[in-house]
Amino acid sequence: MVGTIATMKSVTITLFPFLLVILAICFSFCDANFNMLCIESEKNALLKFKNDLVDPSNRLSSWVEGGDCCKWLGVVCHNSTGHINQLHLAAPLSVPHFDAPVAEWEVYHRSKNNSLLGGKINPSLLELKHLSSLDLSNNNFSSIQIPKFFGLLESLTYLNLSQARFQGAIPHNLGNLSKLQYLDLGGNDLKPKSLQWVSGLSSLQYLDLSYADLRKATDWLLVTFEHPSLLELHLSACSLEDDPSPISVNFTKSLVVDLSENNFSSVPMSIFGLHDLVSIDLSGNSLKGPIPDYFTNISFLEVLDLSGNSLNSSTPNSLFSLSHLQFLNLSSNEIDQDISQILLSLSRCCLDCLESLDMAHNHLFGHLIDQLGHFKNLAHLSLSGNNISGPIPLSIGELSSLKLFNVSENQLNGTFPLCFGQLKSLETLDLGCNQLEGVVSETHFSNLTRLTTLAASQNRLRFEPNSSWIPPFQCRIIKLGQWHLGPKFPRWLKFQKNLSVLDISDAGISDILPTWLLNLSTQFEYVNLSCNQLTGGISYLNVTEIVDLSSNRFTGPMPRVFPTLQFLILSNNSFSGPLFELVCNSLRKGPIRILAIETNLLSGEIPDCWDHWRGLGYLNLENNKLTGKIPPSLGHLDLSVLNLRSNGMFGELPSTLQQSTRLIMLDLSDNRFSGSVPAWIGDRLSKLEILSLRSNNFDGHIPQKICQLQSLRILDLGHNNISGAIPKCFSNFSAMTNKGNQHCYMFQWSSISSNFLYLSALLVMKGREDEYGATLGLVTSMCLSTNRLIGEVPKELGSLVELRSLNLSGNLLVGNIPDEIGNMKLMESLDLSRNQLNGEIPPSFSKLNFLNHFNVSYNNLIGQIPTSTQLQSFESLSYVGNHLCGPPLTKNCTSKGVSTDVAKNGSNSEGSKVNWLYVSIVLGFVMGFWGVVAPLFFIKSWRHAYYRKLDHVGRQLYVFWSTMGI
């Protein structure tokens, strides 16, 4: 045995040199083959293909003559034959996460647009006889259709043309690709008239036609559901509608079906014939009524998504027979059911398999139950936007796999459970907008090492960690608005190195803003420190998207901002100085959309350098100390809101403002603007809904073109010097005429934030000036008070039946009050005081049942006040300065409805036509004149004696006053 082993060793050693030679020959041969893999004809075909492409970023720079085409970008050759069998030319960039920073998305889009291939597709690809995989996805072939010759690439098993912007019809000869297993044409602008060609793809397992217009392809259901080999079908956003004659299928293979974002009003019944169905997505349709009770027919279902519909009632019993269910999404429907019933039913069917439950934004009620903690594999639980009440059960701490827990926007009460500290896998915790209260300590977060989102704003919680506490987590999002975190600024935030979203608004913090906050190594996207008592100055805001520092006590000049900042809210502080540095010297790399700096101490003129702010939609500079004229470049912006109220600005309105055709609110009140009201406001600003020029020096007539503002809801021209008559065409204000025109004037900052910016306006209603914010959309108002308007009140105003407030006081209006005003039955405030109106208060005013402010004082009105529940409820001051009678006045009316004092004066004049008081006055004047003055005039001696006497008395007075002076 030993000899045998020795012999083998000897042979091995002897053959070793020959083995090395053989290996060297093999490597040389293989290397030679490797260098010769590229086949010349196929290389030439690729070069022809490249010549017809548009390649702005030179992605195909490696595709040159003389090179090895198997080493070119995107080219894969067969290891042994050298034939090209794969061509991967999809755009190389990966799509950012949906909540990625805006800057990341901008880089993505910019890089993507520069790296997309385009142009034409050369038929030279037909020379690649062994091509089995072709991927041209995410490119830009926007001017061409899918080439018909693709149907001749007989070796294809994989074809991906998704998101490549192809247009038009789908060539039917694609159905000749009998080997094709994977076909993705999704995300193009395709409009096929039939899908019959799909039947020819006998090996097809995956088909995606998402975003194709299949309205004319009425055979889609028959072709796809009865295909013998198809395993996965995606027809999202294909404009599919209910099939009036559903087919009956008996399909046995496992199948994934995506019919989301279509126009189905009911669940297609054919789906329940797919007995081995494992996934169905019908989200984003128009499904109505109850959820069908046929789920026992598809008992292998693992994924069910019916979100974003209008399904109501409660969940059917058959849904809880799905023993393999892993993902259930019924969010954004109208399901009205006790959450405890749903959890109990799910615990009986899929306690061990359920991984994700999303029933957010329904009408769920009831309490969370302890059985919730028994779903050991549950990783995703979202129940936000419901009416769930009661405490959070302590069993939640047993969900060891839980990664996301979102119960925001409910009515949960009780405390913040300590058991959250046991959830070691938890990444997202959102308890915002509930009624939780109590004290939160470090123990609540002791084991949350994976936590990246902590959102619990709008609760009544108090967090009092030790001053030296270092959190175990590194969060990207922290939203603790309306917690009590003060009075000192929370120092533990200093240790968050990944923080990009921070909301600690209204947190009871009274401190100097620490310099380390905005100098953290992290890149902030969103910072909300509003409604605290923070002090100090700010030189630079290192925030990329949104900043809200409103309602604090910050001082000093305006801070410099990050070039990509989109929302800057600095309202209600004490920032001072000019706007020049912010507006003119900012190195903008993107548009600021909202700039709100109202109620500060800004001074100087508004600079004329707004041309690089073209994306600005909301500009509010009200209640500062700004002076000067409106700069012309401000009119070059595409503004929706311009508010310069309560400053010291003057001059006429620049004509460039008429270019701001998207304006819905223009508030220039409480300044010193002059000139006439421009006619182009009505001619060009057709979307205007709020126009306030109150308390300025405007003069001239109201232009007739103002009547073209059919969307106008609030018109305030009060306290100016406007003259002329009230235009009769005011009846064209259809927003004051038509029902159902209530608006909600708010701007949501972004998907990052749940905060909203409401438009506000100072309105004179109900006899006082109030600021309307969140309720502004409910108001329709017209104020023309304290001007020099003449003529009669147009009866056409009576057609403005949706008007809530009308103020015409303090003008020179005459004539009768139109009876048509009584048609404005929703009127809450009506002021016609201090005019020269006459006649009676129209009887139709008794129909104004919603009036809570009424004033017709200081006119020439007569007669009885109409009887109604409202008109008699006002004080007599509302009627003073007229000749009115009846309640609420103490003056009684006669049987003819005339005031008693007027009636008495009338009866005296009828009884005696001579008023002896006037007679005695006249006789006294005549006797005095002719008894004293006439003799002096006619008798010369009397006249001389009279003047000598006056001269003597004058000299005596002079001597007397001179003596007194000595």
Side-chain angles (χ1 to χ4, degrees), residues 248-259:
S248 177
V249 295
N250 187 16
F251 205 65
T252 57
K253 292 192 177 183
S254 299
L255 193 66
V256 173
V257 176
D258 178 5
L259 300 176

Side-chain angles (χ1 to χ4, degrees), residues 579 597-604 606 620-628 643-650 667-673 695-696:
L579 280 168
I597 323 180
E598 70 269 23
T599 315
N600 278 278
L601 302 174
L602 301 179
S603 58
I606 298 177
N620 192 342
L621 300 175
E622 69 162 294
N623 199 19
N624 279 284
K625 298 180 179 180
L626 298 171
T627 60
N643 190 343
L644 303 178
R645 181 175 73 204
S646 298
N647 280 284
M649 303 185 69
F650 53 83
D667 190 344
L668 306 178
S669 57
D670 293 307
N671 281 282
R672 291 183 285 124
F673 293 115
S695 297
N696 280 285

Side-chain angles (χ1 to χ4, degrees), residues 466-706:
N466 189 287
S467 59
S468 60
W469 180 61
I470 299 177
F473 50 77
Q474 287 294 325
C475 276
R476 195 181 79 83
I477 298 174
I478 293 179
K479 299 167 74 173
L480 302 179
Q482 297 186 19
W483 282 40
H484 191 279
L485 304 175
K488 293 295 184 180
F489 197 91
R491 190 173 180 275
W492 55 271
L493 290 172
K494 188 175 184 178
F495 304 101
Q496 298 299 297
K497 305 302 181 183
N498 301 322
L499 196 59
S500 60
V501 174
L502 176 63
D503 181 357
I504 51 173
S505 59
D506 196 11
I509 303 172
S510 300
D511 200 358
I512 298 176
L513 182 69
T515 55
W516 54 258
L517 177 67
L518 297 175
N519 292 326
L520 290 175
S521 58
T522 183
Q523 180 65 72
F524 280 108
E525 301 169 29
Y526 168 74
V527 172
N528 187 350
L529 307 179
S530 64
C531 301
N532 285 289
Q533 294 294 318
L534 293 168
T535 60
I538 302 173
S539 59
Y540 182 64
L541 290 170
N542 186 27
V543 186
T544 60
E545 294 183 39
I546 302 171
V547 170
D548 185 2
L549 304 180
S550 61
S551 299
N552 280 284
R553 293 187 292 159
F554 292 116
T555 57
M558 293 287 296
R560 292 179 297 112
V561 298
F562 199 82
T564 62
L565 189 71
Q566 297 185 47
F567 304 86
L568 181 59
I569 319 293
L570 302 177
S571 316
N572 299 301
N573 280 284
S574 297
F575 289 109
S576 58
L579 280 168
F580 185 85
E581 186 69 24
L582 174 68
V583 176
C584 301
N585 291 343
S586 295
L587 300 175
R588 302 297 308 150
K589 291 184 179 179
I592 281 188
R593 299 180 186 177
I594 291 180
L595 181 60
I597 323 180
E598 70 269 23
T599 315
N600 278 278
L601 302 174
L602 301 179
S603 58
E605 298 185 357
I606 298 177
D608 191 15
C609 50
W610 293 89
D611 287 325
H612 60 293
W613 289 66
R614 291 298 176 94
L616 187 65
Y618 179 104
L619 177 60
N620 192 342
L621 300 175
E622 69 162 294
N623 199 19
N624 279 284
K625 298 180 179 180
L626 298 171
T627 60
K629 299 181 179 181
I630 297 178
S633 63
L634 204 58
H636 299 159
L637 306 179
D638 204 12
L639 289 171
S640 295
V641 174
L642 176 60
N643 190 343
L644 303 178
R645 181 175 73 204
S646 298
N647 280 284
M649 303 185 69
F650 53 83
E652 297 187 0
L653 304 188
S655 60
T656 55
L657 273 183
Q658 63 185 299
Q659 300 175 26
S660 302
T661 56
R662 293 184 60 187
L663 271 175
I664 62 172
M665 177 179 182
L666 178 61
D667 190 344
L668 306 178
S669 57
D670 293 307
N671 281 282
R672 291 183 285 124
F673 293 115
S674 58
S676 59
V677 177
W680 50 255
I681 289 181
D683 196 28
R684 300 296 303 276
L685 308 185
S686 59
K687 296 183 179 180
L688 208 59
E689 299 183 22
I690 302 172
L691 174 61
S692 180
L693 304 179
R694 182 180 183 81
S695 297
N696 280 285
N697 297 319
F698 289 107
D699 53 27
H701 295 183
I702 300 175
Q704 293 285 325
K705 288 189 175 181
I706 287 288

Side-chain angles (χ1 to χ4, degrees), residues 105 109 119 253 278 299 333 381 429 508 562 591 648 836 863 871 873 946:
W105 275 101
H109 287 298
K253 292 192 177 183
V278 295
S299 57
N333 278 285
L381 178 62
L429 175 61
F562 199 82
Q836 299 172 17
L871 295 180
S873 66
Y946 177 72

Side-chain angles (χ1 to χ4, degrees), residues 157-199:
T157 60
Y158 178 97
L159 177 59
N160 190 347
L161 305 179
S162 63
Q163 305 290 339
R165 306 182 190 178
F166 286 107
Q167 300 177 352
I170 300 175
H172 288 184
N173 65 345
L174 285 184
N176 298 331
L177 302 177
S178 57
K179 295 181 181 179
L180 196 65
Q181 299 176 18
Y182 184 103
L183 176 61
D184 190 348
L185 304 180
N188 290 289
D189 187 17
L190 303 175
K191 298 180 179 180
K193 296 181 180 179
S194 172
L195 295 187
Q196 191 58 44
W197 55 271
V198 176
S199 302

